[in-house]
Amino acid sequence: MTTIAIYPGSFDPLTNGHLDVVERAATLFGRVIVAVAHQTDKSPLFTVQERIGMVKEAVASLSNVEVDDFQTLLVDYVRAKGARVIVRGLRAVSDFEFEFQMALMNRTLAPEVETLFMMPKDSYSYLSSRITKQIAALGGDISQFVPPHVERLLRKKLAPSSSRAPVNP
Ligand code: ADP
């Protein structure tokens, strides 16, 4: 029987750190569903459709990875998909407290679902969507942090207006 893993998140935008986790999960599970959250308290820069599109393009070559979105409680979505595993990325100690609380709360709500934490390649362990957006907004080079199509979308989104040239064309 295929084990299905769900990798939920905001992906606003998808970074190479997220992609690293997806690639690792894809070697462990028969099916991996990257689930883009509608509900987020982070006021996303990109719409759900834009975030889904950028993740789809990034995982196109991974045959056992799909992209979906969800609006419900995560454990309800996981159950509806017939999945048993939630994958989350763990970077530094700073992620731990929030992730620990989420994992134990999800276990209380759905004891049959296991949360699995994966650490990215060390060079991505300080990378976040938030810091990538900040660097891009100030015209910095983000090419090592996100796939090329995400870099383009980010530059377009952050361009002050179509009449002015971007800082780093
Ligand atoms: P959320 O809003 O659910 O935290 P994110 O898109 O910020 O959504 O992150 C989704 C998951 O990916 C989280 O488990 C987060 O810790 C993890 N993650 C984010 N950036 C990285 C990274 N650079 N390396 C590994 N995991 C990461």
Side-chain angles (χ1 to χ4, degrees):
M1 210 179 85
T2 308
T3 307
I4 305 170
I6 307 286
Y7 180 30
S10 316
F11 307 104
D12 183 49
L14 173 92
T15 68
N16 289 338
H18 292 128
L19 212 45
D20 184 279
V21 170
V22 174
E23 284 165 358
R24 288 174 200 281
T27 66
L28 295 177
F29 300 103
R31 261 177 87 196
V32 175
I33 304 174
V34 182
V36 178
H38 282 249
Q39 297 291 350
T40 165
D41 47 11
K42 293 181 183 167
S43 318
L45 178 66
F46 291 97
T47 65
V48 172
Q49 288 312 321
E50 287 170 330
R51 287 180 274 142
I52 291 171
M54 68 176 78
V55 181
K56 275 193 174 158
E57 191 166 341
V59 303
S61 63
L62 300 169
S63 59
N64 59 339
V65 178
E66 303 155 37
V67 187
D68 192 14
D69 59 297
F70 71 105
Q71 309 204 43
T72 57
L73 199 60
L74 176 60
V75 289
D76 289 343
Y77 174 77
V78 171
R79 280 176 167 153
K81 287 285 166 187
R84 290 247 2 250
V85 178
I86 296 171
V87 169
R88 294 286 287 177
L90 206 54
R91 287 161 293 185
V93 181
S94 51
D95 278 339
F96 183 77
E97 197 169 335
F98 175 73
E99 295 292 345
F100 179 78
Q101 185 181 24
M102 283 272 294
L104 294 187
M105 181 53 79
N106 284 334
R107 179 183 284 166
T108 304
L109 296 172
E112 77 283 11
V113 174
E114 208 59 64
T115 301
L116 182 86
F117 293 100
M118 309 199 74
M119 275 173 281
K121 193 170 142 193
D122 51 0
S123 54
Y124 297 143
S125 61
Y126 55 86
L127 181 57
S128 69
S129 299
R130 186 179 55 83
I131 204 162
T132 304
K133 284 182 280 192
Q134 286 175 344
I135 296 167
L138 296 169
D141 180 4
I142 53 162
S143 57
Q144 323 166 50
F145 308 136
V146 294
H149 69 281
V150 174
E151 183 180 1
R152 280 194 299 277
L153 290 168
L154 206 41
R155 297 240 170 268
K156 201 167 150 197
K157 186 68 104 175
L158 294 170
S161 84
S162 50
S163 57
R164 273 176 61 186
V167 183
N168 279 336

